[in-house]
Every structure is written in C-alpha cells, then in structure tokens.
Amino acid sequence: MKTLSLITLLLLTSHNLLSQEKNFIDHPYIETTANSDTLVVPDNIYITIVLNESDSKNKKSTEELETTLEQTLKKLNINTQKDLSLLDYSSDFKKYFLKGQNILKSKNYSLLVHDAVIAGKVLAALENVGISNVEIAKTEYSKAEELVENLKSSAILKAKKYANKLANPIGQKVGKAIFISDTSSTPFNLQGQVAGIQIRGAASIYGNRATEPILIDFQKLKFETQVTVRFTLE
C-alpha cells in the first residue's frame, strides 16, 4: 500500500512539473547569458613559521625562539595575540629514546598579515634573527562573498541589457524575468593558492645574508560569475 502511494505521489509530482514546464514554454521569452568578473589583491596572507631547535644547531630552545619571534613581530607592529596562532607542537621522542639525546622540539605557527609589504618585512626580519624556516602558505580575499554577490547582480543587469538589444530590432520589449540560473563555476577557485608569487630583494632569498627589503608581488585573485536569465517578451 505504501509503495502504491509513493508511486502515485511521484506520478502526480511529475505531472505537475510537466504542466509547469509547458506553461512556461507557452510564454514568449528571450534567454541570455552574461558574465561578470574582476581581479582583486589578496588581503589575507598566511605565513607558516616553523621554530625548530635543530635549525639553530641546538643553541636555542623553542622557548627562546618563541620569545625572539614575538619580539620581532611586535617591532613590526603586528598584534601577536590576534594574528599569530600555534598550529601544532611536536617533539622528536624517537631520537630521545633511541640515542639518549635531548628532545628536539619544534613548533609551527601561522601568522596572518594583510598586504605584501608587511609580508616582505616579516620574511626579512625573521631571517635577520635566525628564523628562516618560513613560507607563505595561502592567500585569500576577506570580502569574497560580498564581492561575488555584487558580481552576480552585475551579470544579471548585463543579461537584461543584452536581451533588450536583441528584442529592440524586432519591435519588442523585455518584460519581467521568469527564470534565473546561476551557472557560475566555483568563484573561490583561486583562494588559498599562492601561484604567481614573485620575490625580489634580499638576494632572492637570502644570498650573502642580504639586508635590502624583500618585495613580494602576489598574483591577483580572479572572481567570475555567470548567470542565465529568461525574460518575457512583450
């Protein structure tokens, strides 16, 4: 009985959908597709910093390296409480147990900065204090969601403009939209990637312990949306 009821419900639903589609097709309409895109400079730059006792040839503990790291970043007016976070903590117990050596500890940090200039200053400053296990992990645009919504609105307006251009030569006007489809690909496909980085200065990087500024150029992030809209013809 339940199976029969389910089949009946599916048949009714299919019939309603077909009726709606037929009613829709019966209306004279015009369909256009439009794109809207832009390039933006990333304003969230994540830098991974690894503090490892072995990097300093065991001359400094991770605690000492942490103090040096925090002091160096504060000199650059970076809010370490807000923008510096600990990713993980590890110790090489295997070496300790097998060789009887001191435990070699390491800590991984993530630092958030908001422009390429500060990122370059961080790389140079940390290298100067002996912290060189540093890399740019990913980039993002903080207002990506708002940007994408604005691009979709722009694409819809373009779609209507195209529709009017097509309808005018035949003496017709574009009416209300009766169907809108967002056919965009993933708008955040470049978020998180760091392709296209160019580093200049500091003998790229750090030949002869160079002290000149490090200039970093980030590839701009491209955001693109696409919509398909059907308008009635009057």
Side-chain angles (χ1 to χ4, degrees), residues 32-49:
T32 55
T33 298
N35 299 310
S36 185
D37 62 73
T38 189
L39 295 172
V40 295
V41 176
D43 60 0
N44 280 344
I45 302 162
Y46 294 88
I47 301 174
T48 299
I49 304 166

Side-chain angles (χ1 to χ4, degrees), residues 16 24-25 41 43 74 78 87-88 91 96 108 137-138 146 158 161 164 169 173 182 194 200 203 205 209 212 227:
N16 290 336
F24 173 76
I25 294 175
V41 176
D43 60 0
K74 284 183 176 180
I78 292 175
L87 294 177
D88 60 50
S91 299
Y96 174 73
N108 297 344
K138 66 177 180 178
E146 178 182 346
K158 284 184 180 180
K161 183 178 179 181
N164 277 315
K173 295 181 179 180
D182 179 6
V194 290
R200 294 175 284 116
I205 198 177
R209 305 291 294 183
E212 73 269 21
V227 296

Side-chain angles (χ1 to χ4, degrees), residues 10-231:
L10 290 174
L11 289 173
L12 289 173
T13 302
S14 299
H15 176 73
N16 290 336
L17 289 174
L18 289 172
S19 298
Q20 291 174 10
E21 180 66 18
K22 184 178 184 301
N23 291 335
F24 173 76
I25 294 175
D26 285 344
H27 288 85
Y29 70 88
I30 184 171
E31 177 179 298
T32 55
T33 298
N35 299 310
S36 185
D37 62 73
T38 189
L39 295 172
V40 295
V41 176
D43 60 0
N44 280 344
I45 302 162
Y46 294 88
I47 301 174
T48 299
I49 304 166
V50 179
L51 303 180
N52 197 317
E53 292 177 353
S54 62
D55 290 341
S56 64
K57 297 180 180 180
N58 302 338
K59 292 180 181 179
K60 291 184 178 181
S61 66
T62 51
E63 290 74 20
E64 291 174 309
L65 291 171
E66 282 182 295
T67 299
T68 300
L69 172 63
E70 187 165 356
Q71 291 175 346
T72 303
L73 295 179
K74 284 183 176 180
K75 287 180 181 179
L76 297 175
N77 296 319
I78 292 175
N79 186 338
T80 56
Q81 294 293 322
K82 177 183 177 183
D83 296 327
L84 182 67
S85 57
L86 181 65
L87 294 177
D88 60 50
Y89 180 85
S90 64
S91 299
D92 196 341
F93 289 103
K94 184 176 180 180
K95 287 184 178 180
Y96 174 73
F97 285 115
L98 295 182
K99 298 183 180 180
Q101 298 176 348
N102 292 327
I103 299 175
L104 298 177
K105 293 177 290 185
S106 67
K107 287 188 176 182
N108 297 344
Y109 282 90
S110 177
L111 175 67
L112 172 63
V113 298
H114 301 288
D115 61 63
V117 173
I118 295 298
K121 289 181 178 180
V122 167
L123 294 181
L126 293 181
E127 170 63 20
N128 288 336
V129 297
I131 300 175
S132 58
N133 199 344
V134 180
E135 67 175 3
I136 297 171
K138 66 177 180 178
T139 59
E140 293 177 343
Y141 182 60
S142 61
K143 297 181 180 179
E145 187 173 346
E146 178 182 346
L147 175 62
V148 169
E149 292 303 318
N150 290 334
L151 289 175
K152 288 179 181 179
S153 297
S154 176
I156 289 176
L157 292 176
K158 284 184 180 180
K160 186 174 184 179
K161 183 178 179 181
Y162 296 156
N164 277 315
K165 285 185 177 181
L166 292 173
N168 286 339
I170 56 175
Q172 290 187 280
K173 295 181 179 180
V174 171
K176 64 180 181 179
I178 53 177
F179 175 81
I180 298 176
S181 175
D182 179 6
T183 54
S184 307
S185 58
T186 305
F188 307 102
N189 56 349
L190 286 181
Q191 295 259 87
Q193 297 183 11
V194 290
I197 287 181
Q198 294 181 351
I199 300 178
R200 294 175 284 116
S204 294
I205 198 177
Y206 299 89
N208 300 321
R209 305 291 294 183
T211 58
E212 73 269 21
I214 298 174
L215 303 177
I216 304 177
D217 295 323
F218 289 98
Q219 177 181 346
K220 290 183 178 181
L221 303 176
K222 183 178 181 180
F223 290 84
E224 182 176 11
T225 61
Q226 183 181 74
V227 296
T228 297
V229 188
R230 293 173 184 173
F231 301 93

